């Protein structure tokens, strides 16, 4: 074998392959405060591309809390919490999350991604089984791989598939863990949570639900899908992020006091990493308080969601009415996805929307199985923002029709 070529040259070829498939991604620069309208390349655009569902990331209550915490506690946490200690703020945030979720305790991680990696790999190992929804988030999938457990995917949302796998496989393993997003971020639909919990009880399985997109959004108090489905208090492990509706950065796990105590001793992605910064911690705490003190935010969000649910199918040229390459995927949330026939089409659609002042994400494989335009609604979108979306989207879709 000859090693004369540059050992890094394959990277250039790999990039070319990505370009050829229309899978290449690049990042857009956003200026100014986050919100329903943001500046892209100096031009204001209506923002349907964020996960800031309640518009809290640019909210003065969070900004002031972050500034105050920085002035009192400094910018960094200076080390892992077990080695360098933590701030009372960290525990306050954990207790506020536990209160929101009605669990005994909670633990805050540096990100939701790290919460999943650390928790899954602490809960199961080589002798164990994981059953995972095929559309689960990357952090659940990679947590499963890291754990070394046998991981079997079930068809998206199919309880019968989970049951069949449990009947076939459960006896051969020590522990079993069922993993699912509660609100699927690239589709907008919900997992069949009550049925999954019943199956888990019957087959002695643990369940970990990822409430990343549901926290602050779903349920009468914004506690998430567990609350939405009336499953509060049932045995399960809830994780989520502080970075979406809560407008900050970080992740959490909520559950029994024993679970949280165990994770503090066994979750490597919590033990061996620096604690959340004072600013992020204080902003998230202010967000949890805002959720409780300002329920109108969520009411406004759902008002906007219901309006779009009614209006999109009426106004757009979609496949249900006439033959069309565009399908609106079923959604029960502020996430609306318009499935499109190819990566090139969705990129064109994204570009023409942007030219007309609408910022929406064009999502392609390998993130999702089929290309789609993903639109997220915010509490702070005005009726005129939503009307502009409809007008622009309608005309862009008509231009793309054969
Ligand atoms: C965003 C997201 C995460 C990761 O959370 P971060 O705090 O952004 O790392 C995990 N799971 C799901 C379903 C997500 O959408």
């Amino acid at each position: 074998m000859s090693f004369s070529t540059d050992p890094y040259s394959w990277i250039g070829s790999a990039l070319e392959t990505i370009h050829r498939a229309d899978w290449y991604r690049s990042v857009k620069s956003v200026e100014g405060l986050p919100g329903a309208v943001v500046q892209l390349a100096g031009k204001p655009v209506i923002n349907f591309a964020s996960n800031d569902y309640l518009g809290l990331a640019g909210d003065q209550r969070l900004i002031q809390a972050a500034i105050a915490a920085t002035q009192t506690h400094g910018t960094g946490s200076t080390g892992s919490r077990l080695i360098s200690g933590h701030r009372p703020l960290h525990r306050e945030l954990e207790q506020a999350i536990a209160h929101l979720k009605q669990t005994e305790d909670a633990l805050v991680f540096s990100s939701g991604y790290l919460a999943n990696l650390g928790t899954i790999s602490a809960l199961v190992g080589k002798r164990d089984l994981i059953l995972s929804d095929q559309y689960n988030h990357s952090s659940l999938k990679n947590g499963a791989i890291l754990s070394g457990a046998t991981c079997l995917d079930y068809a998206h949302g199919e309880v019968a598939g989970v049951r069949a796998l449990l009947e076939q496989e459960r006896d051969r393993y020590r522990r079993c863990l069922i993993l699912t997003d509660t609100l699927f971020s690239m589709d907008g639909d919900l997992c069949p949570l009550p049925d999954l919990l019943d199956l888990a009880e019957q087959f002695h399985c643990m369940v970990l639900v990822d409430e990343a997109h549901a926290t602050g959004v779903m349920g009468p108090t914004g506690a998430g899908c567990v609350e939405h489905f009336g499953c509060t208090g049932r045995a399960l492990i809830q994780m989520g992020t502080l970075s979406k509706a809560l407008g900050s950065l970080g992740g959490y796990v909520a559950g029994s006091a024993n679970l949280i105590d165990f994770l503090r001793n066994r979750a490597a992605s919590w033990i061996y990493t620096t604690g959340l910064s004072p600013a992020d911690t204080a902003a998230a705490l202010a967000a949890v308080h805002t959720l409780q003190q300002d329920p109108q935010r969520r009411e406004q969000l759902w008002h906007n969601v219901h309006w779009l649910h009614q209006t999109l199918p009426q106004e757009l040229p979609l496949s249900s009415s006439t033959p069309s390459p565009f399908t609106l995927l079923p959604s029960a949330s502020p996430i609306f996805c318009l499935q499109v026939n190819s990566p090139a089409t969705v990129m064109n659609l994204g570009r023409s929307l942007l030219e007309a002042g609408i910022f929406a994400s064009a999502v392609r494989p390998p993130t999702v199985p089929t290309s789609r335009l993903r639109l997220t609604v915010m509490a702070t979108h005005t009726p005129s923002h939503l009307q502009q979306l409809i007008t622009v989207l309608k005309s862009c879709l008509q231009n793309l029709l054969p």
Side-chain angles (χ1 to χ4, degrees):
M1 211 185 279
S2 115
F3 292 105
S4 60
T5 57
D6 173 2
Y8 302 96
S9 62
W10 67 270
I11 299 175
S13 328
L15 273 172
E16 278 167 35
T17 308
I18 295 171
H19 274 292
R20 267 199 305 277
D22 273 323
W23 283 15
Y24 183 76
R25 299 137 181 258
S26 58
V27 184
K28 293 186 184 68
S29 261
V30 177
E31 297 119 45
L33 278 182
V37 175
V38 292
Q39 302 279 330
L40 269 189
K43 180 182 142 190
V45 291
I46 308 173
N47 187 9
F48 290 96
S50 90
N51 296 317
D52 184 19
Y53 302 106
L54 298 173
L56 292 181
D59 189 282
Q60 281 305 322
R61 291 166 285 193
L62 276 70
I63 294 173
Q64 293 310 322
I67 292 172
T70 305
Q71 273 163 349
T72 315
H73 306 295
T75 50
S77 291
T78 78
S80 80
R81 286 166 65 183
L82 289 175
I83 298 285
S84 309
H86 60 202
R87 301 290 186 166
L89 258 186
H90 289 114
R91 277 307 282 159
E92 266 177 68
L93 174 59
E94 288 169 343
Q95 279 152 3
I97 291 168
H99 182 254
L100 175 70
K101 300 275 173 179
Q102 301 284 296
T103 57
E104 287 175 358
D105 206 352
L107 185 66
V108 170
F109 289 71
S110 306
S111 77
Y113 208 110
L114 287 172
N116 272 335
L117 294 188
T119 304
I120 297 166
S121 57
L123 291 172
V124 289
K126 287 196 174 61
R127 295 158 62 194
D128 305 320
L129 175 66
I130 288 176
L131 299 184
S132 174
D133 188 291
Q134 69 178 138
Y135 287 0
N136 274 345
H137 188 259
S138 158
S139 55
L140 291 171
K141 294 187 173 180
N142 280 324
I145 293 170
L146 187 64
S147 75
T150 300
C151 185
L152 304 175
D153 279 2
Y154 58 88
H156 178 53
E158 297 256 337
V159 179
V162 182
R163 174 180 287 280
L165 286 173
L166 284 170
E167 280 167 354
Q168 256 172 35
E169 305 286 338
R170 178 67 187 94
D171 285 348
R172 299 169 48 209
Y173 296 89
R174 182 183 59 169
R175 301 179 197 136
C176 176
L177 174 65
I178 299 174
L179 294 180
T180 185
D181 287 25
T182 55
L183 198 179
F184 286 85
S185 61
M186 293 298 155
D187 298 80
D189 59 344
L190 308 180
C191 76
L193 186 63
D195 290 343
L196 288 176
L197 290 178
D198 290 345
L199 272 184
E201 262 172 35
Q202 190 186 337
F203 288 89
H204 303 281
C205 305
M206 303 179 283
V207 177
L208 186 157
V209 293
D210 183 332
E211 295 263 56
H213 292 269
T215 301
V217 170
M218 303 298 298
T221 71
C225 273
V226 173
E227 184 188 40
H228 167 83
F229 282 116
C231 297
T232 308
R234 290 188 71 169
L236 84 167
I237 299 164
Q238 304 178 52
M239 70 72 60
T241 178
L242 308 174
S243 67
K244 287 167 182 155
L246 300 180
S248 180
L249 182 67
Y252 67 81
V253 175
S256 71
N258 271 346
L259 167 78
I260 300 305
D261 214 20
F262 173 77
L263 292 178
R264 274 193 290 260
N265 285 274
R266 280 288 182 274
S269 69
W270 184 82
I271 298 172
Y272 301 102
T273 196
T274 303
L276 208 58
S277 79
D280 291 322
T281 311
L285 183 59
V288 176
H289 289 154
T290 303
L291 206 60
Q292 285 151 351
Q293 290 157 7
D294 185 6
Q296 294 90 315
R297 282 270 165 161
R298 285 187 39 265
E299 284 161 25
Q300 191 53 47
L301 171 66
W302 280 97
H303 175 85
N304 288 347
V305 170
H306 293 314
W307 189 85
L308 274 183
H309 263 294
Q310 280 197 327
T311 313
L312 283 171
Q314 281 169 11
E315 296 289 328
L316 302 185
L318 301 173
S319 52
S320 53
S321 44
T322 45
S324 158
F326 314 114
T327 314
L328 192 60
L329 299 180
S331 158
S333 73
I335 301 169
F336 293 84
C337 288
L338 193 62
Q339 188 171 283
V340 171
N341 54 14
S342 78
T345 312
V346 82
M347 292 310 285
N348 281 337
L349 182 56
R351 264 192 299 271
S352 39
L353 286 171
L354 200 55
E355 277 164 26
I358 301 287
F359 183 25
S361 3
V363 193
R364 291 162 290 171
T367 305
V368 286
T370 52
S371 296
R372 66 201 61 183
L373 187 77
R374 177 180 185 264
L375 300 160
T376 52
V377 186
M378 296 175 67
T380 45
H381 282 134
T382 64
S384 135
H385 293 151
L386 299 181
Q387 189 54 57
Q388 266 172 276
L389 168 70
I390 299 287
T391 310
V392 170
L393 194 54
K394 200 170 165 179
S395 108
C396 289
L397 291 183
Q398 260 148 7
N399 287 342
L400 284 172
L401 282 178

